[in-house]
Coordinates of all heavy atoms in Angstrom, one line a residue:
A1 N 125.9 274.9 36.6 CA 126.3 273.5 36.5 C 126.7 273.2 35.1 O 125.9 272.7 34.3 CB 125.2 272.5 36.9
P2 N 128.0 273.4 34.8 CA 128.5 273.1 33.4 C 128.4 271.7 33.0 O 128.3 271.4 31.8 CB 129.9 273.6 33.5 CG 130.2 274.2 34.8 CD 129.0 273.9 35.7
E3 N 128.4 270.8 33.9 CA 128.3 269.4 33.5 C 126.9 269.0 32.9 O 126.9 268.2 32.0 CB 128.7 268.4 34.6 CG 127.7 268.5 35.8 CD 128.2 269.5 36.8 OE1 129.3 270.2 36.7 OE2 127.4 269.8 37.8
H4 N 125.9 269.7 33.3 CA 124.6 269.5 32.7 C 124.5 270.0 31.3 O 123.8 269.4 30.5 CB 123.5 270.3 33.6 CG 123.4 269.7 35.0 ND1 122.9 268.5 35.2 CD2 123.5 270.3 36.1 CE1 122.9 268.3 36.5 NE2 123.3 269.4 37.1
V5 N 125.3 271.0 31.0 CA 125.3 271.4 29.6 C 125.9 270.4 28.7 O 125.4 270.1 27.6 CB 126.2 272.8 29.4 CG1 126.4 273.2 28.0 CG2 125.5 273.8 30.2
W6 N 127.0 269.7 29.1 CA 127.6 268.6 28.3 C 126.7 267.4 28.2 O 126.7 266.8 27.2 CB 129.0 268.3 28.9 CG 130.0 269.4 28.7 CD1 130.5 270.2 29.6 CD2 130.6 269.7 27.4 NE1 131.4 271.1 29.0 CE2 131.5 270.8 27.7 CE3 130.4 269.3 26.1 CZ2 132.2 271.4 26.7 CZ3 131.2 269.9 25.2 CH2 132.0 271.0 25.5
V7 N 126.0 267.1 29.3 CA 125.0 266.0 29.2 C 124.0 266.3 28.2 O 123.6 265.4 27.4 CB 124.5 265.7 30.6 CG1 123.3 264.7 30.5 CG2 125.6 265.3 31.6
R8 N 123.4 267.5 28.3 CA 122.4 267.9 27.3 C 122.9 267.9 25.9 O 122.2 267.5 24.9 CB 121.8 269.2 27.6 CG 120.9 269.2 28.9 CD 120.3 270.5 29.2 NE 119.5 270.3 30.4 CZ 118.8 271.3 30.9 NH1 118.7 272.5 30.3 NH2 118.1 271.1 32.0
L9 N 124.1 268.4 25.6 CA 124.7 268.4 24.3 C 124.9 267.0 23.8 O 124.7 266.6 22.7 CB 126.0 269.2 24.3 CG 125.9 270.7 24.3 CD1 127.2 271.4 24.5 CD2 125.1 271.2 23.1
G10 N 125.4 266.1 24.7 CA 125.5 264.7 24.3 C 124.3 264.0 24.0 O 124.2 263.2 23.0
C11 N 123.2 264.3 24.8 CA 122.0 263.6 24.5 C 121.3 264.2 23.2 O 120.8 263.5 22.4 CB 121.0 263.9 25.6 SG 121.3 263.0 27.1
G12 N 121.5 265.5 22.9 CA 121.0 266.1 21.7 C 121.8 265.5 20.5 O 121.2 265.2 19.4
A13 N 123.1 265.3 20.6 CA 123.9 264.7 19.5 C 123.4 263.3 19.2 O 123.3 262.8 18.1 CB 125.3 264.8 19.8
A14 N 123.2 262.5 20.3 CA 122.7 261.1 20.1 C 121.3 261.1 19.5 O 121.1 260.3 18.7 CB 122.7 260.4 21.5
L15 N 120.4 262.0 19.9 CA 119.1 262.0 19.2 C 119.2 262.4 17.7 O 118.3 262.0 17.0 CB 118.2 263.1 20.0 CG 117.7 262.6 21.3 CD1 117.0 263.7 22.0 CD2 116.8 261.4 21.2
L16 N 120.2 263.1 17.4 CA 120.4 263.4 16.0 C 121.0 262.3 15.2 O 120.7 262.1 14.0 CB 121.2 264.7 15.8 CG 120.5 266.0 16.1 CD1 121.5 267.2 16.1 CD2 119.3 266.2 15.4
A17 N 121.9 261.5 15.8 CA 122.6 260.5 15.2 C 121.9 259.2 15.1 O 122.1 258.4 14.1 CB 123.9 260.2 15.9
I18 N 121.0 258.9 16.0 CA 120.3 257.6 16.1 C 119.4 257.3 14.8 O 119.5 256.3 14.3 CB 119.5 257.5 17.4 CG1 120.5 257.3 18.5 CG2 118.5 256.4 17.3 CD1 119.8 257.3 19.9
P19 N 118.6 258.3 14.3 CA 117.9 258.1 13.2 C 118.8 257.7 12.0 O 118.4 256.9 11.1 CB 117.1 259.4 12.9 CG 117.0 260.0 14.2 CD 118.3 259.6 14.9
R20 N 119.8 258.4 11.8 CA 120.7 258.2 10.7 C 121.3 256.8 10.8 O 121.4 256.1 9.8 CB 121.8 259.2 10.6 CG 122.8 259.0 9.5 CD 122.1 259.0 8.1 NE 123.0 258.4 7.1 CZ 123.0 258.8 5.9 NH1 122.1 259.7 5.5 NH2 123.8 258.2 5.0
L21 N 121.7 256.4 12.0 CA 122.3 255.0 12.1 C 121.2 254.0 11.8 O 121.5 252.9 11.2 CB 122.8 254.9 13.6 CG 124.1 255.6 13.9 CD1 124.4 255.6 15.4 CD2 125.2 255.1 13.1
L22 N 120.0 254.1 12.3 CA 118.9 253.2 12.0 C 118.6 253.2 10.5 O 118.4 252.1 10.0 CB 117.7 253.6 12.7 CG 117.7 253.4 14.3 CD1 116.5 253.9 14.9 CD2 117.9 251.9 14.6
Y23 N 118.7 254.3 9.8 CA 118.4 254.3 8.4 C 119.5 253.5 7.7 O 119.3 252.6 6.8 CB 118.4 255.8 7.9 CG 118.4 255.9 6.4 CD1 117.3 255.6 5.6 CD2 119.6 256.2 5.7 CE1 117.3 255.8 4.2 CE2 119.7 256.3 4.3 CZ 118.5 256.1 3.6 OH 118.5 256.2 2.2
D24 N 120.8 253.8 8.0 CA 121.9 253.0 7.4 C 121.8 251.5 7.7 O 122.0 250.7 6.8 CB 123.2 253.5 7.9 CG 123.6 254.8 7.4 OD1 123.0 255.3 6.3 OD2 124.5 255.6 7.9
C25 N 121.4 251.2 8.9 CA 121.2 249.7 9.2 C 120.2 249.1 8.4 O 120.3 248.0 7.8 CB 120.9 249.7 10.7 SG 120.6 247.9 11.3
L26 N 119.0 249.8 8.3 CA 117.9 249.2 7.5 C 118.1 249.2 6.0 O 117.6 248.3 5.3 CB 116.6 249.9 7.9 CG 116.0 249.7 9.2 CD1 114.9 250.7 9.5 CD2 115.6 248.3 9.5
V27 N 118.8 250.1 5.5 CA 118.9 250.2 4.1 C 120.2 249.4 3.6 O 120.1 248.7 2.6 CB 119.1 251.7 3.6 CG1 119.5 251.8 2.1 CG2 117.8 252.4 3.8
H28 N 121.3 249.5 4.3 CA 122.5 248.9 3.8 C 122.9 247.6 4.4 O 123.5 246.8 3.7 CB 123.7 249.9 3.9 CG 123.4 251.2 3.2 ND1 123.5 251.3 1.8 CD2 123.1 252.4 3.6 CE1 123.2 252.5 1.4 NE2 123.0 253.2 2.5
W29 N 122.7 247.5 5.7 CA 123.2 246.3 6.4 C 122.3 245.1 6.5 O 122.7 244.0 6.3 CB 123.7 246.7 7.8 CG 124.7 247.8 7.8 CD1 125.6 248.2 6.8 CD2 124.8 248.8 8.8 NE1 126.3 249.3 7.1 CE2 125.8 249.8 8.3 CE3 124.1 249.1 10.0 CZ2 126.1 250.9 9.1 CZ3 124.5 250.2 10.7 CH2 125.5 251.1 10.3
T30 N 121.0 245.4 6.8 CA 120.1 244.2 7.2 C 118.9 244.2 6.3 O 118.3 243.1 6.2 CB 119.7 244.3 8.6 OG1 119.0 245.5 8.8 CG2 120.9 244.2 9.5
G31 N 118.5 245.2 5.7 CA 117.2 245.3 5.1 C 117.1 245.4 3.6 O 117.2 244.4 2.8
A32 N 117.1 246.6 3.1 CA 116.8 246.9 1.7 C 117.9 246.4 0.8 O 117.6 245.8 -0.3 CB 116.5 248.3 1.5
G33 N 119.1 246.7 1.1 CA 120.3 246.3 0.3 C 120.3 244.8 0.0 O 120.2 244.4 -1.2
P34 N 120.3 243.9 1.0 CA 120.2 242.5 0.7 C 119.0 242.1 0.0 O 119.0 241.2 -0.8 CB 120.3 241.9 2.2 CG 121.0 242.9 2.9 CD 120.6 244.2 2.5
A35 N 117.8 242.6 0.4 CA 116.6 242.2 -0.3 C 116.6 242.6 -1.7 O 116.2 241.8 -2.6 CB 115.4 242.9 0.4
E36 N 117.1 243.8 -2.1 CA 117.2 244.2 -3.5 C 118.2 243.3 -4.2 O 117.9 242.9 -5.4 CB 117.7 245.7 -3.6 CG 116.7 246.7 -2.9 CD 115.6 247.1 -3.9 OE1 115.8 247.3 -5.1 OE2 114.4 247.2 -3.4
H37 N 119.2 243.0 -3.6 CA 120.2 242.1 -4.2 C 119.6 240.7 -4.6 O 119.8 240.3 -5.8 CB 121.4 241.9 -3.3 CG 122.4 240.8 -3.8 ND1 123.3 241.1 -4.7 CD2 122.5 239.6 -3.4 CE1 124.0 240.0 -4.9 NE2 123.6 239.0 -4.2
Y38 N 118.9 240.1 -3.7 CA 118.3 238.8 -4.0 C 117.1 238.9 -5.0 O 116.8 238.0 -5.7 CB 118.0 238.0 -2.7 CG 119.2 237.6 -2.0 CD1 119.6 238.2 -0.8 CD2 120.1 236.7 -2.5 CE1 120.8 237.9 -0.2 CE2 121.2 236.3 -1.9 CZ 121.6 236.9 -0.8 OH 122.8 236.5 -0.1
S39 N 116.4 240.0 -4.9 CA 115.3 240.2 -5.8 C 115.8 240.3 -7.2 O 115.2 239.8 -8.2 CB 114.5 241.5 -5.5 OG 113.8 241.3 -4.2
L40 N 117.0 241.0 -7.4 CA 117.6 241.1 -8.7 C 118.0 239.7 -9.3 O 117.9 239.5 -10.4 CB 118.8 242.0 -8.6 CG 118.6 243.5 -8.7 CD1 119.9 244.2 -8.4 CD2 118.1 243.9 -10.0
Q41 N 118.4 238.9 -8.4 CA 118.9 237.5 -8.8 C 117.7 236.7 -9.2 O 117.8 235.9 -10.1 CB 119.7 236.8 -7.7 CG 121.0 237.4 -7.4 CD 121.8 236.7 -6.3 OE1 121.2 235.9 -5.6 NE2 123.1 236.9 -6.3
K42 N 116.6 236.8 -8.5 CA 115.4 236.0 -8.8 C 114.5 236.5 -9.9 O 113.8 235.7 -10.6 CB 114.5 235.9 -7.5 CG 115.2 235.1 -6.4 CD 114.3 235.1 -5.2 CE 115.1 234.4 -4.1 NZ 114.2 234.4 -2.8
R43 N 114.5 237.8 -10.1 CA 113.5 238.5 -11.1 C 114.3 239.3 -12.0 O 114.6 240.4 -11.7 CB 112.5 239.3 -10.3 CG 111.7 238.5 -9.3 CD 110.9 239.5 -8.4 NE 110.3 238.8 -7.3 CZ 110.8 238.4 -6.2 NH1 112.0 238.9 -5.9 NH2 110.1 237.8 -5.2
P44 N 114.4 238.9 -13.2 CA 115.2 239.7 -14.2 C 114.7 241.1 -14.5 O 115.4 242.0 -14.8 CB 115.2 238.8 -15.5 CG 114.7 237.5 -15.1 CD 114.0 237.6 -13.8
R45 N 113.3 241.2 -14.5 CA 112.7 242.5 -14.8 C 112.7 243.4 -13.6 O 112.1 244.5 -13.7 CB 111.3 242.3 -15.3 CG 111.3 241.5 -16.6 CD 109.9 241.4 -17.3 NE 108.9 241.0 -16.2 CZ 107.6 241.0 -16.4 NH1 107.1 241.4 -17.5 NH2 106.8 240.6 -15.5
Y46 N 113.2 243.0 -12.6 CA 113.3 243.9 -11.3 C 114.0 245.2 -11.5 O 113.7 246.2 -10.9 CB 113.8 243.1 -10.1 CG 113.6 243.7 -8.8 CD1 112.3 243.7 -8.3 CD2 114.6 244.3 -8.1 CE1 112.0 244.3 -7.0 CE2 114.3 244.9 -6.9 CZ 113.0 244.9 -6.3 OH 112.8 245.5 -5.2
K47 N 115.0 245.2 -12.4 CA 115.7 246.3 -12.7 C 114.9 247.5 -13.3 O 115.1 248.7 -12.9 CB 116.9 246.1 -13.7 CG 118.0 245.4 -13.1 CD 119.2 245.3 -14.1 CE 120.4 244.6 -13.5 NZ 121.5 244.6 -14.4
T48 N 113.9 247.1 -14.0 CA 113.0 248.1 -14.5 C 112.1 248.7 -13.4 O 111.9 249.9 -13.4 CB 112.0 247.5 -15.6 OG1 112.8 246.9 -16.6 CG2 111.1 248.5 -16.2
Y49 N 111.7 247.9 -12.5 CA 110.9 248.3 -11.3 C 111.8 249.3 -10.4 O 111.3 250.3 -10.0 CB 110.6 247.1 -10.5 CG 109.9 247.4 -9.2 CD1 108.6 247.8 -9.1 CD2 110.6 247.3 -8.0 CE1 108.0 248.0 -7.9 CE2 110.0 247.5 -6.8 CZ 108.7 247.9 -6.8 OH 108.1 248.2 -5.6
Q50 N 113.1 249.0 -10.3 CA 114.0 249.8 -9.5 C 114.1 251.3 -10.1 O 114.3 252.2 -9.3 CB 115.3 249.3 -9.4 CG 115.4 248.0 -8.5 CD 116.8 247.5 -8.5 OE1 117.5 247.4 -9.4 NE2 117.3 247.2 -7.2
Q51 N 113.9 251.5 -11.4 CA 114.0 252.8 -11.9 C 112.8 253.7 -11.6 O 112.9 254.9 -11.7 CB 114.1 252.7 -13.4 CG 115.5 252.1 -13.9 CD 115.6 252.0 -15.4 OE1 114.7 251.3 -16.0 NE2 116.6 252.6 -16.0
T52 N 111.7 253.1 -11.2 CA 110.4 253.8 -11.0 C 110.0 254.0 -9.6 O 109.1 254.8 -9.2 CB 109.3 253.2 -11.8 OG1 109.1 251.8 -11.4 CG2 109.6 253.2 -13.3
V53 N 110.5 253.1 -8.7 CA 110.1 253.1 -7.3 C 111.3 253.4 -6.4 O 112.4 252.9 -6.5 CB 109.5 251.7 -6.9 CG1 109.1 251.6 -5.5 CG2 108.4 251.4 -7.8
R54 N 111.0 254.2 -5.3 CA 112.1 254.6 -4.4 C 112.3 253.4 -3.5 O 111.4 252.6 -3.2 CB 111.6 255.8 -3.5 CG 111.6 257.0 -4.3 CD 111.0 258.2 -3.5 NE 110.9 259.4 -4.3 CZ 109.8 259.6 -5.1 NH1 108.8 258.7 -5.1 NH2 109.7 260.6 -5.8
C55 N 113.5 253.3 -3.0 CA 114.0 252.1 -2.3 C 113.3 252.1 -0.8 O 112.8 251.0 -0.4 CB 115.5 252.0 -2.1 SG 116.1 250.7 -1.2
F56 N 113.5 253.1 -0.1 CA 113.1 253.1 1.3 C 111.9 254.0 1.7 O 110.9 253.5 2.3 CB 114.3 253.4 2.1 CG 114.2 253.1 3.6 CD1 114.2 251.8 4.1 CD2 114.0 254.2 4.5 CE1 114.1 251.6 5.4 CE2 113.9 253.9 5.9 CZ 113.9 252.6 6.3
F57 N 112.0 255.3 1.4 CA 110.9 256.2 1.7 C 110.0 256.3 0.5 O 110.4 256.4 -0.7 CB 111.5 257.6 2.0 CG 112.3 257.6 3.2 CD1 113.7 257.8 3.2 CD2 111.7 257.6 4.5 CE1 114.5 257.8 4.3 CE2 112.5 257.6 5.6 CZ 113.9 257.7 5.5
P58 N 108.7 256.3 0.7 CA 107.7 256.3 -0.4 C 107.5 257.7 -1.0 O 106.8 257.9 -2.0 CB 106.4 255.9 0.2 CG 106.5 256.2 1.6 CD 108.0 256.1 2.0
F59 N 108.2 258.7 -0.5 CA 108.1 260.1 -1.0 C 109.4 260.7 -1.1 O 110.4 260.3 -0.4 CB 107.2 260.9 0.0 CG 107.5 260.7 1.4 CD1 108.5 261.4 2.1 CD2 106.9 259.8 2.2 CE1 108.9 261.2 3.4 CE2 107.2 259.6 3.5 CZ 108.2 260.3 4.1
P60 N 109.6 261.7 -1.9 CA 110.9 262.3 -2.1 C 111.4 263.1 -0.9 O 110.6 263.8 -0.3 CB 110.8 263.3 -3.3 CG 109.3 263.5 -3.4 CD 108.6 262.3 -2.8
L61 N 112.6 262.9 -0.5 CA 113.2 263.7 0.6 C 114.5 264.4 0.1 O 115.2 263.8 -0.6 CB 113.5 262.7 1.8 CG 112.4 262.1 2.6 CD1 112.9 261.1 3.6 CD2 111.7 263.2 3.3
P62 N 114.7 265.6 0.6 CA 116.0 266.3 0.2 C 117.1 265.6 0.9 O 117.0 265.1 2.0 CB 115.8 267.8 0.7 CG 114.8 267.6 1.7 CD 113.9 266.4 1.4
F63 N 118.3 265.6 0.2 CA 119.6 265.1 0.7 C 119.5 263.6 1.0 O 120.3 263.1 1.8 CB 120.0 265.9 1.9 CG 120.0 267.3 1.8 CD1 119.0 268.1 2.4 CD2 120.8 268.0 0.9 CE1 119.0 269.5 2.3 CE2 120.8 269.3 0.8 CZ 119.9 270.1 1.4
V64 N 118.6 262.9 0.3 CA 118.5 261.4 0.6 C 118.6 260.7 -0.8 O 117.9 261.1 -1.7 CB 117.2 261.0 1.2 CG1 117.1 259.4 1.3 CG2 117.1 261.6 2.6
D65 N 119.5 259.8 -1.0 CA 119.7 259.0 -2.2 C 118.6 257.9 -2.1 O 118.7 257.1 -1.2 CB 121.1 258.4 -2.3 CG 121.3 257.6 -3.5 OD1 120.4 257.6 -4.4 OD2 122.4 257.1 -3.7
H66 N 117.7 257.9 -3.0 CA 116.6 257.0 -3.1 C 116.9 255.7 -3.8 O 116.1 254.8 -3.9 CB 115.3 257.6 -3.6 CG 114.7 258.7 -2.7 ND1 114.1 258.4 -1.5 CD2 114.8 260.0 -2.7 CE1 113.7 259.5 -0.9 NE2 114.2 260.5 -1.6
F67 N 118.1 255.6 -4.3 CA 118.6 254.4 -5.1 C 117.6 254.0 -6.1 O 117.4 252.8 -6.3 CB 118.8 253.3 -4.0 CG 119.7 253.6 -2.9 CD1 119.2 253.8 -1.6 CD2 121.1 253.8 -3.1 CE1 120.0 254.1 -0.6 CE2 121.9 254.1 -2.0 CZ 121.4 254.3 -0.7
M68 N 117.1 255.0 -6.9 CA 116.3 254.7 -8.0 C 117.1 254.4 -9.3 O 117.0 255.2 -10.2 CB 115.3 255.8 -8.2 CG 114.2 255.9 -7.1 SD 113.1 257.3 -7.4 CE 112.3 256.8 -8.9
R69 N 118.0 253.4 -9.2 CA 118.8 253.1 -10.4 C 118.8 251.6 -10.6 O 118.8 250.8 -9.6 CB 120.2 253.7 -10.3 CG 120.9 253.3 -9.0 CD 122.3 254.1 -8.9 NE 122.9 254.0 -7.7 CZ 122.7 254.8 -6.7 NH1 121.8 255.8 -6.8 NH2 123.3 254.6 -5.5
P70 N 118.8 251.1 -11.8 CA 118.7 249.7 -12.0 C 120.0 249.0 -11.5 O 121.1 249.4 -11.7 CB 118.6 249.5 -13.5 CG 119.1 250.8 -14.0 CD 118.9 251.9 -13.0
G71 N 119.8 247.9 -10.8 CA 120.9 247.1 -10.4 C 121.4 247.4 -9.0 O 122.3 246.8 -8.5
W72 N 120.7 248.4 -8.3 CA 121.2 248.7 -7.0 C 120.9 247.5 -6.0 O 119.9 246.9 -6.2 CB 120.6 249.9 -6.4 CG 121.1 250.3 -5.0 CD1 122.2 251.0 -4.8 CD2 120.5 250.0 -3.8 NE1 122.3 251.1 -3.4 CE2 121.3 250.5 -2.8 CE3 119.4 249.2 -3.4 CZ2 121.0 250.3 -1.5 CZ3 119.1 249.1 -2.1 CH2 120.0 249.6 -1.1
P73 N 121.8 247.1 -5.2 CA 123.0 247.6 -4.7 C 124.2 247.1 -5.4 O 125.4 247.4 -5.1 CB 123.1 247.1 -3.3 CG 122.4 245.8 -3.3 CD 121.3 245.9 -4.3
D74 N 124.0 246.2 -6.5 CA 125.2 245.7 -7.2 C 125.9 246.7 -8.1 O 127.0 246.6 -8.4 CB 124.8 244.5 -8.0 CG 124.2 243.4 -7.1 OD1 124.7 243.3 -5.9 OD2 123.4 242.6 -7.5
S75 N 125.2 247.8 -8.5 CA 125.8 248.8 -9.3 C 126.2 249.9 -8.4 O 125.5 250.4 -7.5 CB 124.8 249.3 -10.3 OG 123.7 250.0 -9.7
D76 N 127.5 250.3 -8.5 CA 128.0 251.3 -7.6 C 128.0 252.7 -8.3 O 128.5 253.7 -7.7 CB 129.5 251.0 -7.2 CG 129.5 249.8 -6.3 OD1 128.4 249.5 -5.5 OD2 130.4 249.0 -6.2
G77 N 127.4 252.9 -9.5 CA 127.5 254.1 -10.2 C 126.7 255.2 -9.5 O 125.8 254.9 -8.7
P78 N 126.9 256.4 -9.9 CA 126.1 257.6 -9.3 C 124.7 257.5 -9.8 O 124.4 257.0 -10.9 CB 126.9 258.8 -9.8 CG 127.6 258.3 -11.0 CD 127.9 256.9 -10.9
Q79 N 123.8 258.2 -9.0 CA 122.4 258.2 -9.4 C 122.3 259.2 -10.6 O 122.8 260.2 -10.7 CB 121.6 258.8 -8.3 CG 120.1 258.8 -8.6 CD 119.4 259.2 -7.3 OE1 119.9 259.5 -6.3 NE2 118.0 259.2 -7.5
E80 N 121.4 258.7 -11.6 CA 121.3 259.5 -12.8 C 120.1 260.4 -12.7 O 119.2 260.2 -12.0 CB 121.1 258.5 -14.0 CG 122.3 257.7 -14.3 CD 122.1 256.7 -15.3 OE1 121.0 256.6 -15.8 OE2 123.0 255.9 -15.6

């Protein structure tokens, strides 16, 4: 039944894509990005805090930008 193979491949691809989509949604669209933006506007010393604390995950992960740079998301520069 070759159609079962395509169904399984599609389900597997969806299972791999869903966590990344949720991460992007929480960090950039609805959660961390807007919260960091408004925290920067309200608290001038928040930039110092951003240099020492990871944005989303509390532990280091490979291949993940933790946005540990002052002024994120308003600064578009590369991570230092």
Side-chain angles (χ1 to χ4, degrees):
E3 60 273 354
H4 294 297
V5 173
W6 289 108
V7 170
R8 289 184 181 184
L9 286 174
C11 289
L15 286 175
L16 291 174
I18 287 171
R20 178 59 195 212
L21 290 172
L22 289 174
Y23 170 78
D24 286 342
C25 178
L26 290 172
V27 171
H28 299 289
W29 306 328
T30 62
E36 297 275 317
H37 171 78
Y38 290 111
S39 293
L40 279 170
Q41 289 181 345
K42 293 178 184 178
R43 299 170 187 89
R45 296 186 313 169
Y46 194 73
K47 284 186 178 188
T48 305
Y49 173 79
Q50 285 180 316
Q51 290 177 304
T52 59
V53 177
R54 291 174 187 86
C55 177
F56 192 74
F57 294 106
F59 45 85
L61 289 173
F63 309 110
V64 174
D65 183 3
H66 292 284
F67 305 108
M68 291 179 62
R69 54 187 169 271
W72 183 83
D74 298 330
S75 66
D76 292 333
Q79 185 174 3
E80 297 173 0

